[in-house]
Amino acid sequence: MARLQLRNLEKVYGGAFKAVHGINLDVEEGEFMVLVGPSGCAKSTTLRMIAGLEEITAGEIRIGDRIVNTLEPGKRGIAMVFQNYALYPHMKVRTNLAFGLRIGGASKAEAAKAVEEVAKILEIEPLLDRLPKQLSGGQAQRVALGRALIKKPDVFLFDEPLSNLDAKLRASMRVRITDLHKRLKREGMASTVVYVTHDQTEAMTMGDRICVMKDGHIMQVATPKELYEQPANLFVAGFIGSPEMNVIEGHVDGSDFRTGGQVIPLGEALTGRLTARPERAALGIRPQHLALATGINGALSAQLRGVEFMGHEVYLHALLDGREVTTVASAAEFERMDRSLDTIRLLPEAANMHIFDRDSGRNVSLRAQG
Amino acid sequence: MTDISQASDVFTAGADALAEARRHQRIQQRRARISAIMRYAILFGVGLVMLYPLIWLVGASFKTNAEIFANPGFIPREPTTEGYVQGWETSTPYTFGRFFWNSFLIILPKTIGTAISCTMVAYGFARFDFPLKKLLFSSVIAILLLPNVVTRIPQYILFRELGWLDSFLPLWVPSAMAGDAFFVFMLVQFLRAIPDDMEQAARVDGCNSWQTLLFVVVPMLAPALISVCLFQFMWTMNDFLGPLIYISSVDKYPVSLALKLSIDTTEAFEWNRILAMSVLTITPALAVFFMAQKYFIEGISAGGIKG
């Protein structure tokens, strides 16, 4: 078991392109940390630097109490699961699993015993004598997982391990991996995980904490709940949550937020929390917190532009002073709605509103921690 | 009543359409068959023209000396194995077996050396970054384009200075030092097509570069390596100029030189012996080729080069 620490980690390619800008991240012992971000945000590069597959330009990587900056990948106490499994095509599953141990100097008997144990945990015993090409995607992924597990590493690294699977299998593998993590943790085994994904569902459902990255910078590190409820900036607000958070541009005027001709009362609690009153502000509110209103009072009026029927709920897309906003209504609510009108009335929940500084992107209405 | 007559009209029309469709299908099938017959006829004809010398060679090796020039056909009138028996004895103190053994002694170390050295060099070029990599790789390509003849004399002088003349060393050593740029290039191309994830997985599993090469890269490279070995085998078997330049003792002659020997030393050429030994000489290469056709094609298509 070990803690992973990144200190001022930098990666510069060819002396010109800076991919990672001095990031700092602490992953606690036994923690499941998810690195998430859009493509090109350097999440995979960061993971590969931790693995030792990519050289670091500056900074420090510490696993446990060792600085591993210049250590070979095999000596860092890590195991990695790759996106396309990277099983050795010419070796049977059994040999694939045992390979790392054998290279590390384990005897044949030790390796065989470890293979049996891991195969049992992952339920891949019937596959042991197959070649990788005889496995389905899900099976190959489990073998890849087994190859990492068998090494009993200090830190597990996952590089988008589920992106090659279909949606259904992905969901079941998600559960399997989180269960496995909990089990390892319970049994007191090494279980520090760094998991890279671009899929926010994976991030939200699997991570103890999530590190949101953008262009080689860390935007926020927090628990899934905190990320959702307290996004530190506009980027996180937009990236986490589906449908995306509505961002309404305007300015704060006393205890109101003014946008175009409309006024949204912010309420005392929110105005009291404001750490700044930016000239160019944005009000962020999730579609789920923008209720369809029946009355007129305090409601915003918006022109309905489109409806997306999702089954149990309906996404309504409307224009609020020329800017698109989305709201989520339950199917029942949608049934009750007077659909002959072009205009809908929206009531934002004051408790779930955020005020952002449009220039810095910062959330200036965060609740005090603790 | 009208309904029934209408229905029967529909039936008739349907039957007509069906008959028409069947006829059409028959015509198409016939056309396809004719076209196939034509294709095969042409292929067979051209194939025969190309193979005829070989077939004639085999036929002629069973003819008597007198018949070879008298009879242009390839089926011997009085088949005899005299050519084989006498050819095998040769006009030297050694039998042809000795020359086959010599060929084997040249081919085996050379092929193994080529496979090992070219794999290492190709792995380096395909997977590592090092100073002057581009320049060095360009020089590999340049060597590929260089006619062999150009380097013959400097090489000869070099090996003479080293005292390697009349030994197999000049034939082995350049290949064991990845001197065959073609193979290096072929393997580099093949390696580039293999994703490096498995190698990264091996590094994470604790392999150093050599272990990665040996346990992960070489097995994946197997089809290309087999074709490298096959090419080297055939080319060495057929190589005449190399042994001619460097080997002067008859007891070290490979089969390619031994064939020439029987032409040189006999005043009246015993053509049937020469042809018989030629047949024996090409047999191993042919056998290997037919057994390993699949790998040849794989190797050629992977390298994107015509053989």
Side-chain angles (χ1 to χ4, degrees), chain A residues 48 52 73-74 80 82 84 86-91 99-100 103 147 151, chain B residues 195 197-208 211 215-216 219-220:
Chain A
R48 292 169 55 81
M80 189 158 168
F82 293 83
N84 50 9
L87 299 175
Y88 309 122
H90 53 285
M91 296 182 197
F99 187 69
I103 287 290
R147 193 169 60 177
K151 289 175 68 188
Chain B
D197 295 44
M198 270 74 81
E199 289 152 61
Q200 293 183 355
R203 284 183 64 197
V204 172
D205 269 345
C207 289
N208 58 33
Q211 288 171 319
F215 296 128
V216 177
M220 288 195 292

PDB file of all heavy atoms in Angstrom, chain A residues 48 52 73-74 80 82 84 86-91 99-100 103 147 151, chain B residues 195 197-208 211 215-216 219-220:
ATOM      1  N   ARG A  48       0.971   8.109 -17.836  1.00  0.00           N
ATOM      2  CA  ARG A  48       2.153   7.447 -18.396  1.00  0.00           C
ATOM      3  C   ARG A  48       3.430   7.920 -17.710  1.00  0.00           C
ATOM      4  O   ARG A  48       4.403   7.177 -17.623  1.00  0.00           O
ATOM      5  CB  ARG A  48       2.216   7.668 -19.907  1.00  0.00           C
ATOM      6  CG  ARG A  48       1.085   6.924 -20.646  1.00  0.00           C
ATOM      7  CD  ARG A  48       0.998   7.360 -22.087  1.00  0.00           C
ATOM      8  NE  ARG A  48       2.279   7.197 -22.765  1.00  0.00           N
ATOM      9  CZ  ARG A  48       2.713   6.044 -23.246  1.00  0.00           C
ATOM     10  NH1 ARG A  48       1.960   4.990 -23.161  1.00  0.00           N
ATOM     11  NH2 ARG A  48       3.893   5.979 -23.827  1.00  0.00           N
ATOM     12  N   GLY A  52       6.042   5.630 -15.784  1.00  0.00           N
ATOM     13  CA  GLY A  52       7.434   5.610 -16.208  1.00  0.00           C
ATOM     14  C   GLY A  52       7.581   5.337 -17.691  1.00  0.00           C
ATOM     15  O   GLY A  52       8.677   5.098 -18.190  1.00  0.00           O
ATOM     16  N   PRO A  73       9.851   1.457 -15.319  1.00  0.00           N
ATOM     17  CA  PRO A  73       8.461   1.145 -14.960  1.00  0.00           C
ATOM     18  C   PRO A  73       8.338  -0.101 -14.081  1.00  0.00           C
ATOM     19  O   PRO A  73       7.566  -0.120 -13.131  1.00  0.00           O
ATOM     20  CB  PRO A  73       7.788   0.902 -16.313  1.00  0.00           C
ATOM     21  CG  PRO A  73       8.623   1.620 -17.298  1.00  0.00           C
ATOM     22  CD  PRO A  73      10.016   1.650 -16.764  1.00  0.00           C
ATOM     23  N   GLY A  74       9.140  -1.108 -14.388  1.00  0.00           N
ATOM     24  CA  GLY A  74       9.041  -2.369 -13.659  1.00  0.00           C
ATOM     25  C   GLY A  74       9.484  -2.259 -12.208  1.00  0.00           C
ATOM     26  O   GLY A  74       9.218  -3.136 -11.401  1.00  0.00           O
ATOM     27  N   MET A  80      -0.286  -1.696 -14.720  1.00  0.00           N
ATOM     28  CA  MET A  80      -1.098  -0.840 -15.575  1.00  0.00           C
ATOM     29  C   MET A  80      -2.043  -1.682 -16.427  1.00  0.00           C
ATOM     30  O   MET A  80      -1.681  -2.747 -16.912  1.00  0.00           O
ATOM     31  CB  MET A  80      -0.161  -0.033 -16.477  1.00  0.00           C
ATOM     32  CG  MET A  80      -0.842   1.045 -17.253  1.00  0.00           C
ATOM     33  SD  MET A  80       0.379   2.275 -17.744  1.00  0.00           S
ATOM     34  CE  MET A  80      -0.561   3.224 -18.906  1.00  0.00           C
ATOM     35  N   PHE A  82      -4.112  -1.388 -19.884  1.00  0.00           N
ATOM     36  CA  PHE A  82      -4.134  -0.532 -21.071  1.00  0.00           C
ATOM     37  C   PHE A  82      -5.502  -0.550 -21.742  1.00  0.00           C
ATOM     38  O   PHE A  82      -6.272  -1.486 -21.586  1.00  0.00           O
ATOM     39  CB  PHE A  82      -3.089  -1.009 -22.077  1.00  0.00           C
ATOM     40  CG  PHE A  82      -1.677  -0.843 -21.606  1.00  0.00           C
ATOM     41  CD1 PHE A  82      -1.089  -1.781 -20.775  1.00  0.00           C
ATOM     42  CD2 PHE A  82      -0.935   0.262 -21.988  1.00  0.00           C
ATOM     43  CE1 PHE A  82       0.214  -1.628 -20.329  1.00  0.00           C
ATOM     44  CE2 PHE A  82       0.362   0.421 -21.551  1.00  0.00           C
ATOM     45  CZ  PHE A  82       0.940  -0.531 -20.723  1.00  0.00           C
ATOM     46  N   ASN A  84      -6.286  -0.989 -24.916  1.00  0.00           N
ATOM     47  CA  ASN A  84      -6.559  -2.130 -25.800  1.00  0.00           C
ATOM     48  C   ASN A  84      -5.983  -3.425 -25.229  1.00  0.00           C
ATOM     49  O   ASN A  84      -5.536  -4.285 -25.956  1.00  0.00           O
ATOM     50  CB  ASN A  84      -6.042  -1.865 -27.207  1.00  0.00           C
ATOM     51  CG  ASN A  84      -4.635  -1.393 -27.178  1.00  0.00           C
ATOM     52  OD1 ASN A  84      -4.001  -1.421 -26.122  1.00  0.00           O
ATOM     53  ND2 ASN A  84      -4.100  -0.969 -28.299  1.00  0.00           N
ATOM     54  N   ALA A  86      -3.497  -4.880 -24.413  1.00  0.00           N
ATOM     55  CA  ALA A  86      -2.062  -5.151 -24.563  1.00  0.00           C
ATOM     56  C   ALA A  86      -1.650  -6.498 -23.990  1.00  0.00           C
ATOM     57  O   ALA A  86      -0.624  -6.624 -23.343  1.00  0.00           O
ATOM     58  CB  ALA A  86      -1.242  -4.032 -23.924  1.00  0.00           C
ATOM     59  N   LEU A  87      -2.453  -7.515 -24.241  1.00  0.00           N
ATOM     60  CA  LEU A  87      -2.052  -8.865 -23.842  1.00  0.00           C
ATOM     61  C   LEU A  87      -1.027  -9.358 -24.854  1.00  0.00           C
ATOM     62  O   LEU A  87      -1.095  -8.989 -26.024  1.00  0.00           O
ATOM     63  CB  LEU A  87      -3.264  -9.796 -23.827  1.00  0.00           C
ATOM     64  CG  LEU A  87      -4.374  -9.403 -22.850  1.00  0.00           C
ATOM     65  CD1 LEU A  87      -5.565 -10.325 -23.019  1.00  0.00           C
ATOM     66  CD2 LEU A  87      -3.871  -9.435 -21.425  1.00  0.00           C
ATOM     67  N   TYR A  88      -0.099 -10.189 -24.398  1.00  0.00           N
ATOM     68  CA  TYR A  88       0.908 -10.709 -25.331  1.00  0.00           C
ATOM     69  C   TYR A  88       0.230 -11.745 -26.232  1.00  0.00           C
ATOM     70  O   TYR A  88      -0.210 -12.789 -25.742  1.00  0.00           O
ATOM     71  CB  TYR A  88       2.070 -11.333 -24.567  1.00  0.00           C
ATOM     72  CG  TYR A  88       2.622 -10.410 -23.503  1.00  0.00           C
ATOM     73  CD1 TYR A  88       2.660 -10.785 -22.174  1.00  0.00           C
ATOM     74  CD2 TYR A  88       3.067  -9.129 -23.836  1.00  0.00           C
ATOM     75  CE1 TYR A  88       3.140  -9.925 -21.193  1.00  0.00           C
ATOM     76  CE2 TYR A  88       3.552  -8.266 -22.866  1.00  0.00           C
ATOM     77  CZ  TYR A  88       3.577  -8.670 -21.549  1.00  0.00           C
ATOM     78  OH  TYR A  88       4.040  -7.815 -20.596  1.00  0.00           O
ATOM     79  N   PRO A  89       0.167 -11.469 -27.539  1.00  0.00           N
ATOM     80  CA  PRO A  89      -0.687 -12.290 -28.398  1.00  0.00           C
ATOM     81  C   PRO A  89      -0.229 -13.734 -28.540  1.00  0.00           C
ATOM     82  O   PRO A  89      -1.030 -14.608 -28.828  1.00  0.00           O
ATOM     83  CB  PRO A  89      -0.608 -11.580 -29.759  1.00  0.00           C
ATOM     84  CG  PRO A  89       0.584 -10.698 -29.686  1.00  0.00           C
ATOM     85  CD  PRO A  89       0.818 -10.384 -28.248  1.00  0.00           C
ATOM     86  N   HIS A  90       1.063 -13.983 -28.311  1.00  0.00           N
ATOM     87  CA  HIS A  90       1.564 -15.340 -28.553  1.00  0.00           C
ATOM     88  C   HIS A  90       1.545 -16.193 -27.293  1.00  0.00           C
ATOM     89  O   HIS A  90       1.955 -17.347 -27.324  1.00  0.00           O
ATOM     90  CB  HIS A  90       2.982 -15.255 -29.090  1.00  0.00           C
ATOM     91  CG  HIS A  90       3.868 -14.436 -28.200  1.00  0.00           C
ATOM     92  ND1 HIS A  90       3.776 -13.062 -28.166  1.00  0.00           N
ATOM     93  CD2 HIS A  90       4.804 -14.777 -27.312  1.00  0.00           C
ATOM     94  CE1 HIS A  90       4.649 -12.598 -27.294  1.00  0.00           C
ATOM     95  NE2 HIS A  90       5.274 -13.621 -26.756  1.00  0.00           N
ATOM     96  N   MET A  91       1.123 -15.599 -26.177  1.00  0.00           N
ATOM     97  CA  MET A  91       1.134 -16.366 -24.924  1.00  0.00           C
ATOM     98  C   MET A  91      -0.299 -16.689 -24.517  1.00  0.00           C
ATOM     99  O   MET A  91      -1.195 -15.873 -24.704  1.00  0.00           O
ATOM    100  CB  MET A  91       1.747 -15.534 -23.802  1.00  0.00           C
ATOM    101  CG  MET A  91       3.187 -15.183 -23.990  1.00  0.00           C
ATOM    102  SD  MET A  91       3.730 -14.265 -22.542  1.00  0.00           S
ATOM    103  CE  MET A  91       5.215 -13.514 -23.175  1.00  0.00           C
ATOM    104  N   PHE A  99       3.611 -13.806 -16.555  1.00  0.00           N
ATOM    105  CA  PHE A  99       4.805 -13.218 -17.165  1.00  0.00           C
ATOM    106  C   PHE A  99       5.525 -12.217 -16.246  1.00  0.00           C
ATOM    107  O   PHE A  99       6.736 -12.311 -16.038  1.00  0.00           O
ATOM    108  CB  PHE A  99       4.433 -12.542 -18.490  1.00  0.00           C
ATOM    109  CG  PHE A  99       5.609 -12.044 -19.271  1.00  0.00           C
ATOM    110  CD1 PHE A  99       6.492 -12.937 -19.854  1.00  0.00           C
ATOM    111  CD2 PHE A  99       5.850 -10.689 -19.414  1.00  0.00           C
ATOM    112  CE1 PHE A  99       7.584 -12.491 -20.576  1.00  0.00           C
ATOM    113  CE2 PHE A  99       6.937 -10.227 -20.126  1.00  0.00           C
ATOM    114  CZ  PHE A  99       7.807 -11.133 -20.707  1.00  0.00           C
ATOM    115  N   GLY A 100       4.763 -11.286 -15.694  1.00  0.00           N
ATOM    116  CA  GLY A 100       5.356 -10.250 -14.844  1.00  0.00           C
ATOM    117  C   GLY A 100       6.074 -10.857 -13.641  1.00  0.00           C
ATOM    118  O   GLY A 100       7.176 -10.447 -13.288  1.00  0.00           O
ATOM    119  N   ILE A 103       9.307 -12.677 -14.773  1.00  0.00           N
ATOM    120  CA  ILE A 103      10.371 -11.717 -15.076  1.00  0.00           C
ATOM    121  C   ILE A 103      10.944 -11.175 -13.768  1.00  0.00           C
ATOM    122  O   ILE A 103      12.135 -10.952 -13.626  1.00  0.00           O
ATOM    123  CB  ILE A 103       9.819 -10.550 -15.944  1.00  0.00           C
ATOM    124  CG1 ILE A 103       9.548 -11.016 -17.370  1.00  0.00           C
ATOM    125  CG2 ILE A 103      10.747  -9.348 -15.945  1.00  0.00           C
ATOM    126  CD1 ILE A 103      10.786 -11.310 -18.187  1.00  0.00           C
ATOM    127  N   ARG A 147      -3.673  -9.422 -14.935  1.00  0.00           N
ATOM    128  CA  ARG A 147      -2.235  -9.245 -15.094  1.00  0.00           C
ATOM    129  C   ARG A 147      -1.731  -8.140 -14.162  1.00  0.00           C
ATOM    130  O   ARG A 147      -0.603  -8.186 -13.688  1.00  0.00           O
ATOM    131  CB  ARG A 147      -1.924  -8.906 -16.559  1.00  0.00           C
ATOM    132  CG  ARG A 147      -0.478  -9.019 -16.862  1.00  0.00           C
ATOM    133  CD  ARG A 147      -0.222  -8.937 -18.330  1.00  0.00           C
ATOM    134  NE  ARG A 147      -0.686  -7.667 -18.876  1.00  0.00           N
ATOM    135  CZ  ARG A 147      -0.518  -7.317 -20.143  1.00  0.00           C
ATOM    136  NH1 ARG A 147       0.063  -8.146 -20.979  1.00  0.00           N
ATOM    137  NH2 ARG A 147      -0.945  -6.161 -20.583  1.00  0.00           N
ATOM    138  N   LYS A 151       0.420  -8.846  -9.718  1.00  0.00           N
ATOM    139  CA  LYS A 151       1.709  -8.284  -9.283  1.00  0.00           C
ATOM    140  C   LYS A 151       1.639  -7.670  -7.894  1.00  0.00           C
ATOM    141  O   LYS A 151       2.652  -7.281  -7.345  1.00  0.00           O
ATOM    142  CB  LYS A 151       2.170  -7.226 -10.286  1.00  0.00           C
ATOM    143  CG  LYS A 151       2.602  -7.824 -11.611  1.00  0.00           C
ATOM    144  CD  LYS A 151       2.922  -6.753 -12.602  1.00  0.00           C
ATOM    145  CE  LYS A 151       4.174  -5.980 -12.219  1.00  0.00           C
ATOM    146  NZ  LYS A 151       4.369  -4.827 -13.099  1.00  0.00           N
TER     147      LYS A 151
ATOM    148  N   PRO B 195       1.593  -2.316 -33.001  1.00  0.00           N
ATOM    149  CA  PRO B 195       1.480  -1.303 -31.953  1.00  0.00           C
ATOM    150  C   PRO B 195       2.449  -1.599 -30.806  1.00  0.00           C
ATOM    151  O   PRO B 195       2.743  -2.768 -30.538  1.00  0.00           O
ATOM    152  CB  PRO B 195       0.023  -1.432 -31.485  1.00  0.00           C
ATOM    153  CG  PRO B 195      -0.453  -2.730 -31.994  1.00  0.00           C
ATOM    154  CD  PRO B 195       0.377  -3.095 -33.175  1.00  0.00           C
ATOM    155  N   ASP B 197       2.055  -1.143 -27.661  1.00  0.00           N
ATOM    156  CA  ASP B 197       1.430  -1.326 -26.345  1.00  0.00           C
ATOM    157  C   ASP B 197       1.958  -2.553 -25.608  1.00  0.00           C
ATOM    158  O   ASP B 197       2.171  -2.517 -24.402  1.00  0.00           O
ATOM    159  CB  ASP B 197      -0.094  -1.514 -26.488  1.00  0.00           C
ATOM    160  CG  ASP B 197      -0.746  -0.281 -27.034  1.00  0.00           C
ATOM    161  OD1 ASP B 197      -0.186   0.285 -27.987  1.00  0.00           O
ATOM    162  OD2 ASP B 197      -1.794   0.110 -26.512  1.00  0.00           O
ATOM    163  N   MET B 198       2.138  -3.634 -26.376  1.00  0.00           N
ATOM    164  CA  MET B 198       2.596  -4.864 -25.738  1.00  0.00           C
ATOM    165  C   MET B 198       3.983  -4.656 -25.135  1.00  0.00           C
ATOM    166  O   MET B 198       4.281  -5.158 -24.066  1.00  0.00           O
ATOM    167  CB  MET B 198       2.654  -6.004 -26.760  1.00  0.00           C
ATOM    168  CG  MET B 198       1.388  -6.791 -26.871  1.00  0.00           C
ATOM    169  SD  MET B 198       0.080  -5.916 -27.721  1.00  0.00           S
ATOM    170  CE  MET B 198       0.495  -6.166 -29.412  1.00  0.00           C
ATOM    171  N   GLU B 199       4.807  -3.890 -25.839  1.00  0.00           N
ATOM    172  CA  GLU B 199       6.149  -3.637 -25.321  1.00  0.00           C
ATOM    173  C   GLU B 199       6.085  -2.785 -24.059  1.00  0.00           C
ATOM    174  O   GLU B 199       6.847  -2.985 -23.113  1.00  0.00           O
ATOM    175  CB  GLU B 199       6.997  -2.937 -26.386  1.00  0.00           C
ATOM    176  CG  GLU B 199       7.346  -3.888 -27.519  1.00  0.00           C
ATOM    177  CD  GLU B 199       7.549  -3.169 -28.820  1.00  0.00           C
ATOM    178  OE1 GLU B 199       8.450  -2.326 -28.892  1.00  0.00           O
ATOM    179  OE2 GLU B 199       6.786  -3.434 -29.770  1.00  0.00           O
ATOM    180  N   GLN B 200       5.146  -1.833 -24.050  1.00  0.00           N
ATOM    181  CA  GLN B 200       4.988  -1.010 -22.852  1.00  0.00           C
ATOM    182  C   GLN B 200       4.502  -1.862 -21.692  1.00  0.00           C
ATOM    183  O   GLN B 200       4.966  -1.714 -20.562  1.00  0.00           O
ATOM    184  CB  GLN B 200       4.012   0.122 -23.132  1.00  0.00           C
ATOM    185  CG  GLN B 200       4.583   1.098 -24.134  1.00  0.00           C
ATOM    186  CD  GLN B 200       3.663   2.263 -24.382  1.00  0.00           C
ATOM    187  OE1 GLN B 200       2.554   2.309 -23.877  1.00  0.00           O
ATOM    188  NE2 GLN B 200       4.138   3.206 -25.163  1.00  0.00           N
ATOM    189  N   ALA B 201       3.567  -2.768 -22.012  1.00  0.00           N
ATOM    190  CA  ALA B 201       3.079  -3.673 -20.971  1.00  0.00           C
ATOM    191  C   ALA B 201       4.247  -4.491 -20.426  1.00  0.00           C
ATOM    192  O   ALA B 201       4.355  -4.715 -19.221  1.00  0.00           O
ATOM    193  CB  ALA B 201       2.000  -4.585 -21.525  1.00  0.00           C
ATOM    194  N   ALA B 202       5.141  -4.908 -21.325  1.00  0.00           N
ATOM    195  CA  ALA B 202       6.294  -5.699 -20.895  1.00  0.00           C
ATOM    196  C   ALA B 202       7.206  -4.868 -19.993  1.00  0.00           C
ATOM    197  O   ALA B 202       7.730  -5.369 -18.993  1.00  0.00           O
ATOM    198  CB  ALA B 202       7.059  -6.203 -22.112  1.00  0.00           C
ATOM    199  N   ARG B 203       7.359  -3.597 -20.332  1.00  0.00           N
ATOM    200  CA  ARG B 203       8.205  -2.733 -19.486  1.00  0.00           C
ATOM    201  C   ARG B 203       7.588  -2.589 -18.108  1.00  0.00           C
ATOM    202  O   ARG B 203       8.285  -2.633 -17.096  1.00  0.00           O
ATOM    203  CB  ARG B 203       8.370  -1.359 -20.139  1.00  0.00           C
ATOM    204  CG  ARG B 203       9.340  -1.378 -21.305  1.00  0.00           C
ATOM    205  CD  ARG B 203       9.523   0.003 -21.879  1.00  0.00           C
ATOM    206  NE  ARG B 203      10.137   0.910 -20.916  1.00  0.00           N
ATOM    207  CZ  ARG B 203      10.112   2.234 -21.042  1.00  0.00           C
ATOM    208  NH1 ARG B 203       9.502   2.786 -22.062  1.00  0.00           N
ATOM    209  NH2 ARG B 203      10.704   2.991 -20.150  1.00  0.00           N
ATOM    210  N   VAL B 204       6.260  -2.424 -18.086  1.00  0.00           N
ATOM    211  CA  VAL B 204       5.579  -2.313 -16.793  1.00  0.00           C
ATOM    212  C   VAL B 204       5.722  -3.632 -16.026  1.00  0.00           C
ATOM    213  O   VAL B 204       5.847  -3.648 -14.809  1.00  0.00           O
ATOM    214  CB  VAL B 204       4.091  -1.944 -16.992  1.00  0.00           C
ATOM    215  CG1 VAL B 204       3.340  -2.015 -15.672  1.00  0.00           C
ATOM    216  CG2 VAL B 204       3.962  -0.552 -17.587  1.00  0.00           C
ATOM    217  N   ASP B 205       5.738  -4.737 -16.767  1.00  0.00           N
ATOM    218  CA  ASP B 205       5.917  -6.049 -16.135  1.00  0.00           C
ATOM    219  C   ASP B 205       7.351  -6.262 -15.658  1.00  0.00           C
ATOM    220  O   ASP B 205       7.651  -7.296 -15.066  1.00  0.00           O
ATOM    221  CB  ASP B 205       5.531  -7.171 -17.117  1.00  0.00           C
ATOM    222  CG  ASP B 205       4.062  -7.551 -16.979  1.00  0.00           C
ATOM    223  OD1 ASP B 205       3.448  -7.166 -15.970  1.00  0.00           O
ATOM    224  OD2 ASP B 205       3.535  -8.231 -17.877  1.00  0.00           O
ATOM    225  N   GLY B 206       8.222  -5.318 -15.977  1.00  0.00           N
ATOM    226  CA  GLY B 206       9.581  -5.399 -15.442  1.00  0.00           C
ATOM    227  C   GLY B 206      10.645  -5.841 -16.427  1.00  0.00           C
ATOM    228  O   GLY B 206      11.762  -6.141 -16.024  1.00  0.00           O
ATOM    229  N   CYS B 207      10.312  -5.914 -17.711  1.00  0.00           N
ATOM    230  CA  CYS B 207      11.309  -6.343 -18.691  1.00  0.00           C
ATOM    231  C   CYS B 207      12.257  -5.193 -19.016  1.00  0.00           C
ATOM    232  O   CYS B 207      11.837  -4.046 -19.105  1.00  0.00           O
ATOM    233  CB  CYS B 207      10.635  -6.747 -19.998  1.00  0.00           C
ATOM    234  SG  CYS B 207       9.720  -8.261 -19.899  1.00  0.00           S
ATOM    235  N   ASN B 208      13.531  -5.512 -19.218  1.00  0.00           N
ATOM    236  CA  ASN B 208      14.417  -4.503 -19.795  1.00  0.00           C
ATOM    237  C   ASN B 208      14.306  -4.608 -21.316  1.00  0.00           C
ATOM    238  O   ASN B 208      13.571  -5.452 -21.829  1.00  0.00           O
ATOM    239  CB  ASN B 208      15.850  -4.680 -19.298  1.00  0.00           C
ATOM    240  CG  ASN B 208      16.403  -6.049 -19.629  1.00  0.00           C
ATOM    241  OD1 ASN B 208      16.060  -6.629 -20.649  1.00  0.00           O
ATOM    242  ND2 ASN B 208      17.240  -6.576 -18.757  1.00  0.00           N
ATOM    243  N   GLN B 211      14.944  -8.098 -22.764  1.00  0.00           N
ATOM    244  CA  GLN B 211      13.880  -9.072 -22.449  1.00  0.00           C
ATOM    245  C   GLN B 211      12.626  -8.765 -23.269  1.00  0.00           C
ATOM    246  O   GLN B 211      11.960  -9.674 -23.754  1.00  0.00           O
ATOM    247  CB  GLN B 211      13.566  -9.022 -20.952  1.00  0.00           C
ATOM    248  CG  GLN B 211      14.659  -9.634 -20.108  1.00  0.00           C
ATOM    249  CD  GLN B 211      14.443  -9.381 -18.624  1.00  0.00           C
ATOM    250  OE1 GLN B 211      14.046  -8.294 -18.217  1.00  0.00           O
ATOM    251  NE2 GLN B 211      14.705 -10.380 -17.809  1.00  0.00           N
ATOM    252  N   PHE B 215      11.206 -11.683 -25.499  1.00  0.00           N
ATOM    253  CA  PHE B 215       9.973 -12.363 -25.086  1.00  0.00           C
ATOM    254  C   PHE B 215       8.720 -11.821 -25.759  1.00  0.00           C
ATOM    255  O   PHE B 215       7.705 -12.483 -25.820  1.00  0.00           O
ATOM    256  CB  PHE B 215       9.792 -12.279 -23.564  1.00  0.00           C
ATOM    257  CG  PHE B 215      10.866 -12.983 -22.800  1.00  0.00           C
ATOM    258  CD1 PHE B 215      11.564 -12.341 -21.784  1.00  0.00           C
ATOM    259  CD2 PHE B 215      11.191 -14.295 -23.099  1.00  0.00           C
ATOM    260  CE1 PHE B 215      12.565 -12.990 -21.088  1.00  0.00           C
ATOM    261  CE2 PHE B 215      12.182 -14.957 -22.409  1.00  0.00           C
ATOM    262  CZ  PHE B 215      12.876 -14.297 -21.402  1.00  0.00           C
ATOM    263  N   VAL B 216       8.767 -10.572 -26.194  1.00  0.00           N
ATOM    264  CA  VAL B 216       7.541  -9.971 -26.720  1.00  0.00           C
ATOM    265  C   VAL B 216       7.663  -9.615 -28.206  1.00  0.00           C
ATOM    266  O   VAL B 216       6.805  -9.971 -29.004  1.00  0.00           O
ATOM    267  CB  VAL B 216       7.164  -8.715 -25.888  1.00  0.00           C
ATOM    268  CG1 VAL B 216       5.940  -8.044 -26.466  1.00  0.00           C
ATOM    269  CG2 VAL B 216       6.934  -9.103 -24.443  1.00  0.00           C
ATOM    270  N   PRO B 219       8.577 -12.898 -30.849  1.00  0.00           N
ATOM    271  CA  PRO B 219       7.432 -13.759 -31.209  1.00  0.00           C
ATOM    272  C   PRO B 219       6.432 -13.067 -32.140  1.00  0.00           C
ATOM    273  O   PRO B 219       5.876 -13.696 -33.024  1.00  0.00           O
ATOM    274  CB  PRO B 219       6.778 -14.069 -29.860  1.00  0.00           C
ATOM    275  CG  PRO B 219       7.845 -13.882 -28.858  1.00  0.00           C
ATOM    276  CD  PRO B 219       8.718 -12.793 -29.380  1.00  0.00           C
ATOM    277  N   MET B 220       6.244 -11.763 -31.932  1.00  0.00           N
ATOM    278  CA  MET B 220       5.297 -11.070 -32.808  1.00  0.00           C
ATOM    279  C   MET B 220       5.895 -10.857 -34.199  1.00  0.00           C
ATOM    280  O   MET B 220       5.192 -10.696 -35.176  1.00  0.00           O
ATOM    281  CB  MET B 220       4.914  -9.721 -32.189  1.00  0.00           C
ATOM    282  CG  MET B 220       4.022  -9.861 -30.983  1.00  0.00           C
ATOM    283  SD  MET B 220       3.233  -8.325 -30.524  1.00  0.00           S
ATOM    284  CE  MET B 220       4.626  -7.390 -29.963  1.00  0.00           C
TER     285      MET B 220
END
